[in-house]
Amino acid sequence: MADRMTHPLLTLVLGGARSGKSHHAEALIEALPAPWTYIATAQAYDDEMRARIAEHRARRSRDWQTVDAPVALPEAIRNAPAGRPILVDCLTLWLTNLLLAERDIAIATGELVAACREASAPVVLVSNEVGLGIVPDNALARRFRDEAGRLHQRLAAQAGSVVFMVAGLPMQVK
């Protein structure tokens, strides 16, 4: 199966909320020559989310080009300038956007896997590990948890590196 081929330029950074995922992912990309592409999947539906987005933007230097791709993530990866390192933050927000838009998750995931496989430069993907807690009490939350787990498995199989963040500390999984 093509999805099982490891892409050495792909890194998946997983962890819980406030585990240091984004900071670690940014440091991985910033260790490479600039400029860099930051693909953001968040949508600012309320003041709290606007503040989170502003915080993330404020800590990035001018060497970052930000591309907003709440749904069209595979396209954003494919359209990034050739050879430019890419950071995607975050996959679970992208998955939420897909679910709310009633998109076909399997097709979208396949397109994301293909876009990462085709990338000519390092790609670092950030995502929340949501499968460590209790079983959610409603069908949508359970579907989200299950789809996130499937997405992570597919990307981890392809990635050359997988990092799990705990309390700001990176644990190399693969």
Side-chain angles (χ1 to χ4, degrees):
M1 178 179 207
D3 286 354
R4 297 292 180 202
M5 295 176 59
T6 298
H7 193 299
L9 299 178
L10 180 63
T11 299
L12 178 60
V13 179
L14 298 167
R18 298 290 184 214
S19 63
K21 299 179 305 292
S22 295
H23 281 290
H24 183 72
E26 290 167 8
L28 291 174
I29 292 290
E30 289 175 342
L32 303 168
W36 313 293
T37 298
Y38 188 105
I39 302 177
T41 62
Q43 296 185 83
Y45 290 119
D46 58 34
D47 288 340
E48 188 268 339
M49 195 56 151
R50 277 188 278 284
R52 284 178 182 257
I53 291 169
E55 175 189 332
H56 274 247
R57 283 184 186 254
R59 73 174 181 233
R60 294 195 298 270
S61 73
R62 293 183 183 166
D63 290 321
W64 288 95
Q65 174 201 5
T66 301
V67 175
D68 291 311
V71 175
L73 179 55
E75 296 86 346
I77 292 171
R78 286 188 173 109
N79 293 332
R84 183 181 291 181
I86 299 169
L87 186 147
V88 175
D89 197 355
C90 94
L91 295 179
T92 42
L93 285 174
W94 175 69
L95 181 60
T96 298
N97 297 336
L98 293 174
L99 286 168
L100 293 175
E102 298 182 359
R103 297 288 179 95
D104 187 309
I105 304 302
I107 289 172
T109 297
E111 291 173 358
L112 175 61
V113 169
C116 290
R117 186 183 316 114
E118 296 160 7
S120 64
V123 176
V124 176
L125 306 170
V126 175
S127 197
N128 289 287
E129 179 52 67
V130 297
L132 297 174
I134 62 172
V135 175
D137 68 349
N138 67 77
L140 179 59
R142 286 189 299 274
R143 180 172 179 218
F144 172 78
R145 182 216 43 206
D146 293 348
E147 295 290 0
R150 288 184 198 100
L151 174 64
H152 295 160
Q153 287 184 49
R154 284 190 72 182
L155 291 167
Q158 181 179 345
S161 174
V162 177
V163 177
F164 186 68
M165 296 297 299
V166 178
L169 302 173
M171 296 172 47
Q172 196 70 39
V173 178
K174 178 181 178 184

